[in-house]
Amino acid sequence: MTWKPKPPRVDDLTRAQYSGWNCCWCNIRLWHRARSAGRAKGFSGVHDLSVEVYECGPRCPKRPRRPTQTGDTP
């Protein structure tokens, strides 16, 4: 099983990140080779605002890294 970081919450996204125009980690415009980073979750009362977000790739400079040992935080 591969480790994959959870995407940021909807509240932490910019309009461009929420719309899928920019990387959800580094906020750089996505042109080519964008891939899904998962589903950013969020609610406003009873309304589900969750949305699919995208990343520029596994080498994104601000993407959380896999913990190296048990108990480490990314």
Side-chain angles (χ1 to χ4, degrees), residues 14-66:
T14 65
R15 168 79 169 123
Q17 290 169 318
Y18 185 85
S19 298
W21 302 329
N22 289 4
C23 175
C24 69
W25 306 116
C26 64
N27 205 26
I28 291 176
R29 179 70 67 180
L30 297 171
W31 295 104
H32 302 288
R33 298 184 184 165
R35 65 184 204 167
S36 174
R39 190 158 181 83
K41 296 182 181 180
F43 293 90
S44 178
V46 297
H47 303 285
D48 185 3
L49 302 176
S50 300
V51 65
E52 187 79 16
V53 291
Y54 299 90
E55 63 184 4
C56 52
R59 298 195 188 277
C60 176
K62 295 197 176 181
R63 183 177 191 259
R65 302 293 177 222
R66 180 184 188 137

